Amino acid sequence: MALQTASLLPASFSIPKEGKIGASLKDSTLFGVSLSDSLKGDFTSSALRCKRELRQKVGAVKAETAAPATPAVNKSSSEGKKTLRKGNVVITGASSGLGLATAKALAESGKWHVIMACRDYLKAARAAKSAGLAKENYTIMHLDLASLDSVRQFVENFRRSETPLDVLVNNAAVYFPTAKEPSFTADGFEISVGTNHLGHFLLSRLLLEDLSKSDYPSKRLIIVGSITGNTNTLAGNVPPKANLGDLRGLAGGLTGLNSSAMIDGGDFDGAKAYKDSKVCNMLTMQEFHRRYHEETGITFASLYPGCIATTGLFREHIPLFRTLFPPFQKYITKGYVSEEESGKRLAQVVSDPSLTKSGVYWSWNNASASFENQLSQEASDAEKARKVWEVSEKLVGLA
Ligand code: LMG
Ligand code: NDP
Ligand code: PMR
């Protein structure tokens, strides 16, 4: 057991390499979370402290969930009653908003162990604590979706923990509605599509193998979409509208140098880049479904959780917008949902036994009942989905 625990040690959560700490600090500054150099020391020591804690916890989780020794469904010896082990769910961007609320809903159900895959360890730790998550129900692992290296490192670390993966939730996102000039990921992609789509695309492609191996009764890969990427809705018609065009900018790598930073090859627009990234998310979910659902039995799903007008997504918007947006959505469009309610919705897509249909984009009506929603023409275009897939796999180094 001592040996086994030791072998888990490096995997219990990933500490960025020296260079990487610098990178994540730089990113944090970029997103308005200022981590000074003096904090760097704190970050490292706190990371080590948490690593120690996790050694114990992951040991416990492992005992609970280890794949070959503990099958997903056990027959208890006493009454022949079937018991299900805890499911393991990775949620990207679980340090705030929808991701955190979902982590909370799942952790509190007692049926899930949540792996919070976050770019800012300290922020995630504080968020988990203030949300009241019980220590045994979650693990924080470092993941910066704006770096393909970090994505690969995350997958490696996760595999080393030997934890079965039952559900992956691609939730993290950035939105730069007021940016005049594009920003870029570590690999030189425009940051919204680079983070929201390409980072998740690589993560999902790599973790597909792990999901396939899970013996959990319902394994799922979920990609959060949005109404604002769907031009068959009023919200999707608020300018600038999503439009991927012929993907010439994406094919050029979104570098903003010899090619445009925008997928359609047009002038940079931060709000459009976000909406385009959501179209990619919804197309990717469907392409996964077409390619892998039958073979793997994995349920692929996307959703629009409602307008969660209070989250960090709008942190880069002007203050007036941030003040008026929640009442506007609450009283005028009636599209508003609280973070708590949105978390329950996404938690349903993770674990509700009635939501196992694959290839579906879920939404909720005003009575909070789920229904299969229609995607816009572009967001359901199978030919475009195939092209986005093929171009994306070249960009992330899979083809
Ligand atoms: C852009 O502006 C910015 O230019 C861009 O930089 C980025 O920030 C982007 O999405 C983010 O926004 C959007 C801007 C332009 O919209 C506004 O926010 C301006 C507000 C205008 C106020 C209108 C009055 C609303 C009622 C007052 C309530 C007070 C509270 C205000 C709170 C504001 C919070 C939002 O938008 C426009 O150009 C204005 C026109 C928008 C109407 C779009 C609707 C088109 C409908 C077309 C119908 C198509 C049919 C679809 C079929 C559907 C079938 C179901
Ligand atoms: P938040 O900003 O509250 O949450 C986004 C999360 O993504 C944060 O945890 C953030 O981390 C994380 N993140 C950002 N960049 C990276 C990165 N490079 N690597 C890892 N994690 C990263 O926004 P929401 O909760 O609103 O957004 C969650 C999802 O919901 C998104 O996919 C969004 O598109 C979708 N959505 C939101 C709607 C809304 O009305 N809010 C409506 C429809 C869909 P950190 O905490 O460190 O910043
Ligand atoms: Mg929208 C039923 C109407 C509806 C809904 C459900 C949303 C959701 N919005 C609606 C209508 C309108 N919005 C109208 C009529 C306007 C013009 C006044 C409007 C404006 C608006 C702006 C400027 N809305 C926005 C913005 C943003 O910056 C948000 C955005 O586009 O982020 C990409 C946004 C949103 N409106 C929504 C939702 C869910 C968002 C944000 C989040 C997202 O898609 O992820």
Side-chain angles (χ1 to χ4, degrees):
M1 183 61 202
L3 246 181
Q4 191 185 43
T5 311
S7 72
L8 278 167
L9 205 153
S12 51
F13 103 92
S14 99
I15 298 180
K17 286 176 265 176
E18 263 312 281
K20 275 269 176 283
I21 290 179
S24 52
L25 283 170
K26 202 173 93 212
D27 288 347
S28 299
T29 315
L30 210 132
F31 292 102
V33 185
S34 154
L35 280 177
S36 68
D37 274 352
S38 63
L39 236 144
K40 224 182 206 175
D42 274 5
F43 180 91
T44 317
S45 64
S46 141
L48 289 168
R49 207 172 40 247
C50 293
K51 184 173 167 182
R52 260 198 315 276
E53 282 170 20
L54 274 166
R55 189 174 5 167
Q56 295 147 9
K57 187 162 51 180
V58 173
V61 171
K62 191 178 157 60
E64 228 165 30
T65 59
T70 315
V73 180
N74 270 331
K75 250 189 163 185
S76 114
S77 50
S78 51
E79 289 163 17
K81 234 172 57 187
K82 284 180 180 173
T83 57
L84 193 61
R85 68 164 162 81
K86 265 191 183 179
N88 296 304
V89 54
V90 168
I91 305 179
T92 67
S95 51
S96 82
L98 176 61
L100 179 62
T102 307
K104 185 171 160 70
L106 291 169
E108 286 177 354
S109 74
K111 297 175 182 159
W112 293 89
H113 185 84
V114 182
I115 293 108
M116 301 168 72
C118 298
R119 62 175 165 176
D120 182 335
Y121 183 85
L122 279 183
K123 182 176 176 188
R126 289 194 188 114
K129 208 170 174 189
S130 66
L133 300 195
K135 275 190 172 170
E136 66 274 16
N137 291 335
Y138 72 94
T139 299
I140 302 168
M141 288 182 66
H142 183 260
L143 167 67
D144 181 358
L145 288 157
S147 155
L148 299 179
D149 268 358
S150 173
V151 172
R152 290 186 180 279
Q153 185 74 55
F154 172 85
V155 171
E156 205 175 293
N157 290 340
F158 180 78
R159 286 181 181 159
R160 248 187 267 157
S161 76
E162 294 176 38
T163 307
L165 177 64
D166 306 314
V167 178
L168 168 63
V169 180
N170 293 308
N171 161 78
V174 288
Y175 174 42
F176 292 100
T178 59
K180 299 276 174 280
E181 297 293 334
S183 303
F184 299 93
T185 66
D187 305 275
F189 308 128
E190 185 284 317
I191 201 160
S192 325
V193 176
T195 305
N196 308 355
H197 167 58
L198 292 169
H200 278 137
F201 180 78
L202 178 61
L203 180 72
S204 303
R205 286 288 300 274
L206 296 175
L207 288 179
L208 187 71
E209 189 187 322
D210 305 69
L211 274 173
S212 307
K213 288 184 197 150
S214 155
D215 64 345
Y216 208 69
S218 177
K219 40 200 185 189
R220 306 182 189 185
L221 193 162
I222 298 156
I223 310 179
V224 178
S226 179
I227 194 171
T228 54
N230 281 296
T231 50
N232 58 338
T233 63
L234 174 62
N237 276 283
V238 174
K241 294 203 238 176
N243 177 13
L244 307 188
D246 63 4
L247 307 182
R248 67 180 64 181
L250 186 66
L254 304 173
T255 60
L257 290 171
N258 297 321
S259 90
S260 163
M262 300 296 291
I263 292 180
D264 64 358
D267 290 342
F268 174 71
D269 182 322
K272 181 174 183 297
Y274 169 87
K275 293 175 189 178
D276 289 350
S277 77
K278 289 285 120 185
V279 175
C280 290
N281 285 154
M282 296 180 280
L283 289 173
T284 301
M285 176 281 287
Q286 295 162 86
E287 190 64 15
F288 261 116
H289 168 71
R290 282 187 283 270
R291 288 178 187 240
Y292 294 108
H293 173 62
E294 256 188 52
E295 183 190 320
T296 63
I298 296 168
T299 294
F300 298 97
S302 185
L303 69 150
Y304 166 57
C307 186
I308 331 156
T310 52
T311 71
L313 194 67
F314 310 104
R315 66 187 93 176
E316 299 290 334
H317 225 309
I318 56 168
L320 183 64
F321 176 88
R322 294 207 308 272
T323 307
L324 294 178
F325 192 53
F328 173 66
Q329 293 294 345
K330 226 179 237 173
Y331 304 112
I332 298 175
T333 73
K334 315 259 190 229
Y336 176 90
V337 285
S338 65
E339 297 187 19
E340 188 185 2
E341 175 58 27
S342 69
K344 286 183 189 156
R345 290 177 177 184
L346 179 46
Q348 276 175 38
V349 183
V350 169
S351 74
D352 194 313
S354 67
L355 302 191
T356 50
K357 189 166 170 193
S358 184
V360 173
Y361 168 65
W362 297 105
S363 295
W364 284 258
N365 64 22
N366 287 340
S368 258
S370 58
F371 66 95
E372 272 183 65
N373 207 347
Q374 284 295 111
L375 291 157
S376 70
Q377 197 179 1
E378 182 173 51
S380 53
D381 180 337
E383 186 54 24
K384 210 167 251 193
R386 187 180 59 80
K387 285 190 189 146
V388 166
W389 179 282
E390 288 172 358
V391 174
S392 301
E393 63 183 5
K394 282 196 188 117
L395 294 178
V396 302
L398 289 173

